[in-house]
Amino acid sequence: MMRATSRLVVFLAAAVLAVAVVAWFVMSRRPPEVAVLEIKPATIEQALSVVGRVRPLELVQVASPNSGQIVRLLHDEGDRVAAGDPLAVVLATVEQAQTQVDVARERAARAAAAEARLNYQRVKTLYDQGFAAKAALDAARAGLDTAQANVAAASAGVRASAERAQEFVIRAPMAGVVLFRPIDNGQVVSAGQTLFELGSSTGVEIRAEVEEVYADALRPGQVARAALSGSSTIFPARVTEVSPRVDSSTGGRSVRLAAEGEQDLSPGRSVDVTIVVRQRPGAIVIPRAAVLDATAAPKVHVVDAGDIVRARSITVARWPSVNAIVESGLRAGDRVVLEPAVVKPGAQVTPIAAKPDR
């Protein structure tokens, strides 16, 4: 009886081992599993994401008309000013030096005039006594007239330079907010140097720079979604202008947008903007990781009806989207391998459907 039981145990162990071997053999011969995405064309939103910056509708650089020293600053960044309000007082140091030169010239002219007057009086006395010719008297008179004219000209020069050398006031050309003040009290500035940057207080806009190849698709009136950088609150905006000029240094075009509704936008804040360019019905979108040789000769791996991997060339739209927009090479029902690097064309696989990610 014990011997029969032992035989039964051995038989069962052998059977289990055989089943395990067969199962291992079957599993080892099974094609590898790969994740595939079944193509289902759908309407997508073709959008362009850029980073813009809030700025006033009008921006004015207030400069000094003359060189000089800042002797008084009346406003700082963030101050609101009215049109004509004084912003700073500048002492024209160069003009002061010129005034000193003109004063010295006037003194020299007056000295020359005094000498010419004495000379004329001597010649006239000699002429009255018959010891000088009429020509000598006329020459002395002309010399006196010239000297007196020089005095008049020098005096006018002194008055003009003195007027220029006075302290002069820099005033706001419009009502607005002081956005930038790159100067300090006591600083010497040159003619034309920016002293203040004023932004209008009548409203703000969002200004962004877009690469010219993508800016061609933008038009005034296109809607956009915007959010202050670092904020999750989204507000609507609209494209108001696309500059026709391309910045040669950056290759970009300036795009202006207006926020819709009451928005608290401070000048200088950066804004994340998504401009909706158009809706594309029947579009095919796949993950960019599924595209091989994307820059040279884009292609994908598809699984055919016999679960064989095939390479297929495609055309991808040149657009900065998260996923690739396929313009040709794929159709509804195609199964695209999501990780094409793990399989080679001609391989037998077991496709596992993945959910589309748009």
Side-chain angles (χ1 to χ4, degrees):
M1 186 66 181
M2 291 293 295
R3 188 175 295 175
T5 302
S6 299
R7 289 197 190 98
L8 180 60
V9 171
V10 172
F11 175 78
L12 291 175
V16 171
L17 180 61
V19 171
V21 171
V22 171
W24 174 83
F25 180 78
V26 172
M27 291 296 295
S28 63
R29 299 288 296 176
R30 184 182 180 186
E33 294 182 350
V34 295
V36 297
L37 175 66
E38 183 177 349
I39 298 301
K40 296 180 180 179
T43 299
I44 66 166
E45 180 184 87
Q46 186 172 343
L48 183 67
S49 296
V50 295
V51 177
R53 194 167 294 278
V54 180
R55 54 159 285 168
L57 290 175
E58 294 182 53
L59 198 63
V60 175
Q61 308 287 336
V62 182
S64 172
N66 298 302
S67 58
Q69 184 180 28
I70 304 295
V71 295
R72 206 169 359 159
L73 287 174
L74 304 175
H75 287 284
D76 204 348
E77 295 176 3
D79 291 351
R80 291 186 174 273
V81 298
D85 279 358
L87 301 176
V89 179
V90 179
L91 181 64
T93 53
V94 174
E95 282 71 14
Q96 281 187 326
Q98 183 62 47
T99 298
Q100 294 176 354
V101 173
D102 290 339
V103 168
R105 288 175 178 170
E106 183 189 28
R107 290 173 180 172
R110 290 188 182 280
E115 183 179 354
R117 185 176 297 104
L118 291 175
N119 181 60
Y120 171 75
Q121 291 174 350
R122 287 194 297 268
V123 173
K124 187 175 185 308
T125 299
L126 293 174
Y127 175 78
D128 291 341
Q129 295 175 356
F131 294 106
K134 182 67 166 58
L137 179 63
D138 292 341
R141 182 63 192 179
L144 177 58
D145 291 342
T146 300
Q148 290 175 337
N150 290 338
V151 170
S155 298
V158 169
R159 290 193 298 272
S161 60
E163 186 68 24
R164 290 193 300 267
Q166 292 180 357
E167 295 179 347
F168 58 90
V169 179
I170 304 297
R171 298 185 179 275
M174 67 175 187
V177 180
V178 178
L179 301 178
F180 185 49
R181 194 208 73 190
I183 57 170
D184 295 314
N185 201 25
Q187 181 177 337
V188 176
V189 297
S190 58
Q193 181 177 341
T194 298
L195 308 183
F196 295 87
E197 186 178 82
L198 291 184
S200 60
S201 56
T202 56
V204 295
E205 65 179 0
I206 302 171
R207 186 74 66 89
E209 188 173 84
V210 178
E211 292 183 45
E212 56 181 318
V213 65
Y214 304 127
D216 292 340
L218 302 183
R219 300 287 184 274
Q222 289 174 334
V223 298
R225 298 184 296 272
L228 294 175
S229 295
S231 172
S232 59
T233 303
I234 297 176
F235 57 89
R238 188 173 298 274
V239 177
T240 58
E241 180 183 312
V242 180
S243 174
R245 186 181 71 86
V246 177
D247 190 327
S248 59
S249 62
T250 63
R253 291 166 62 182
S254 178
V255 177
R256 303 169 70 175
L257 303 99
E260 298 186 342
E262 294 294 330
Q263 307 297 335
D264 185 15
L265 303 178
S266 301
R269 282 295 303 270
S270 56
V271 183
D272 299 323
V273 181
T274 299
I275 303 172
V276 180
V277 178
R278 61 170 172 157
Q279 300 289 330
R280 293 187 61 155
I284 294 175
V285 177
I286 62 174
R288 290 192 179 273
V291 182
L292 295 170
D293 299 331
T295 56
K299 57 180 175 291
V300 294
H301 286 170
V302 297
V303 178
D304 64 13
D307 292 342
I308 305 297
V309 176
R310 307 293 183 188
R312 185 181 298 176
S313 298
I314 61 172
T315 303
V316 178
R318 294 188 59 190
W319 193 257
S321 55
V322 175
N323 294 320
I325 303 174
V326 180
E327 295 186 323
S328 64
L330 291 176
R331 59 183 181 274
D334 284 340
R335 295 179 294 177
V336 176
V337 178
L338 294 179
E339 298 182 19
V342 302
V343 292
K344 295 183 179 180
Q348 181 86 35
V349 296
T350 301
I352 304 297
K355 294 182 179 181
D357 182 14
R358 291 191 177 86

